[in-house]
Amino acid sequence: MDEDEVRTEAWWGRRAWVLLSAVRARAPLVQCITNLVSMDIVANALLAAGASPAMLHCLREVPDFSPRCDAVYINVGTLSEDWLPSMRAAASAGRPWVFDPVAVAASGFRMEVCLSLLALRPAVVRGNASEILALASRSDNSSFKGVDSSHDSSDALQAAKALAQSNGAVVAVSGAVDFITDGVQVVSASNGVPMMQKITATGCAVTALIAAFVGADPSDALVAAACALAIFGLAGEIGMESAKGPASLRMHLIDALYSLDEQTVTSRVKISLLP
Ligand SMILES: Nc1ncnc2c1ncn2[C@@H]1O[C@H](COP(=O)(O)OP(=O)(O)O)[C@@H](O)[C@H]1O
Ligand SMILES: Cc1ncsc1CCOP(=O)(O)O
Ligand SMILES: [Mg+2]
């Protein structure tokens, strides 16, 4: 086996740095049709990482704009019937796209919408554990909460694998440990701090970062998703060194994302391929 094929933690650290550098060098254009709560942190996280965000959601603009993007990001957090045609059109524009099924179990309608978007073949689906469990089981029952998870990421690992197998997408479950799978391989990313759950839309922001990584290098969505999750978690760890609470963590996380250097990334990214 080629030395490069042995996916040690050091290999992942180098890949994470190469992909972050590709985002900085190429500034991938990411169309974000995302929820109203998340727009600010999504755009700022993408800019800090080196990508170029554009929050365009008018249906009339999709035919001109979406095909020009390096990646499309679709997030149903503040779902409205008005935006659905734009979501469907942007997802069908022929660009790699990444899906965040926020609160998929909140209603039968939201579940139906998410399943119909899933049929449009996202490259990556990223959700918290409750969202991935619900999506995989197609269940909108009331044991699921709203946008926050009531499960650990490990609870959703088998569901993530099943979803990836049935859908052909890479599926990422976030949490204390993030799991990323293509249905066969499973990778874990263990960066991050618990306080990230106390900032609204960090999940939305990391899904957008996955879209930026896929846009910069669409060749391997599993690697792109794992590296984006680890990089975002690492920015959270560094941000936490200066933060006093959620509001200052939000600021310091974005600053850390902007300032990450090679030594820090290669030595602190914690990704491994599970046996
Ligand atoms: N307990 C935790 N420890 C460390 N990082 C966490 C923890 N919970 C969530 N994260 C990180 O916070 C970000 C948002 O994940 P999560 O809270 O699961 O998504 P969502 O906001 O969609 O519910 C991810 O980068 C994830 O890795
Ligand atoms: C609070 C809220 N309500 C609708 S969307 C949203 C943001 C959800 O963000 P995240 O999924 O990253 O927690
Ligand atoms: Mg979420």
Side-chain angles (χ1 to χ4, degrees):
M1 193 186 268
D2 186 288
E3 200 248 319
D4 234 25
E5 291 301 307
V6 181
R7 297 193 171 187
T8 58
E9 200 159 283
W11 184 91
W12 284 104
R14 286 195 298 276
R15 279 313 297 162
W17 174 248
V18 166
L19 286 174
L20 179 62
S21 301
V23 171
R24 289 174 175 174
R26 293 179 202 151
L29 177 59
V30 184
Q31 180 181 10
C32 305
I33 304 184
T34 188
N35 69 74
L36 301 164
V37 184
S38 71
M39 282 194 184
D40 180 89
I41 193 171
V42 164
N44 277 304
L46 287 178
L47 279 172
S52 178
M55 280 40 199
L56 272 69
H57 56 258
C58 175
L59 180 60
R60 299 269 302 265
E61 294 182 296
V62 168
D64 288 337
F65 188 69
S66 304
R68 278 193 233 147
C69 292
D70 295 294
V72 169
Y73 169 42
I74 294 176
N75 176 309
V76 295
T78 48
L79 185 58
S80 127
E81 276 186 280
D82 297 347
W83 286 19
L84 258 181
S86 309
M87 290 178 173
R88 294 203 172 106
S92 308
R95 305 307 301 144
W97 75 279
V98 174
F99 181 34
D100 192 324
V102 177
V104 54
S107 68
F109 176 65
R110 190 173 287 244
M111 176 61 72
E112 197 183 295
V113 164
C114 287
L115 291 172
S116 73
L117 288 169
L118 207 50
L120 300 177
R121 315 282 314 206
V124 183
V125 181
R126 195 293 314 170
N128 63 39
S130 296
E131 289 159 350
I132 297 301
L133 279 165
L135 199 55
S137 66
R138 300 172 164 244
S139 157
D140 59 0
N141 78 42
S142 56
S143 69
F144 296 101
K145 279 168 69 179
V147 302
D148 296 321
S149 189
S150 37
H151 300 86
D152 292 335
S153 52
S154 54
D155 298 340
L157 185 48
Q158 290 315 317
K161 278 177 95 168
L163 192 60
Q165 280 161 10
S166 63
N167 212 263
V170 165
V171 176
V173 192
S174 57
V177 177
D178 307 313
F179 295 103
I180 307 94
T181 180
D182 58 7
V184 181
Q185 304 176 84
V186 181
V187 173
S188 66
S190 321
N191 295 100
V193 290
M195 181 78 79
M196 289 165 75
Q197 292 168 279
K198 294 293 177 196
I199 308 169
T200 193
T202 45
C204 308
V206 77
T207 316
L209 193 64
I210 293 170
F213 275 47
V214 170
D217 181 357
S219 66
D220 192 331
L222 180 87
V223 171
C227 290
L229 279 153
I231 289 278
F232 192 76
L234 177 56
E237 289 171 16
I238 296 167
M240 201 63 217
E241 291 163 12
S242 317
K244 296 199 175 93
S248 51
L249 177 57
R250 184 185 194 278
M251 177 181 80
H252 289 300
L253 186 158
I254 292 169
D255 283 354
L257 197 50
Y258 177 77
S259 305
L260 283 171
D261 60 27
E262 180 171 4
Q263 211 276 331
T264 308
V265 170
T266 54
S267 64
R268 290 185 60 176
V269 152
K270 283 190 230 139
I271 305 178
S272 41
L273 184 63
L274 299 194

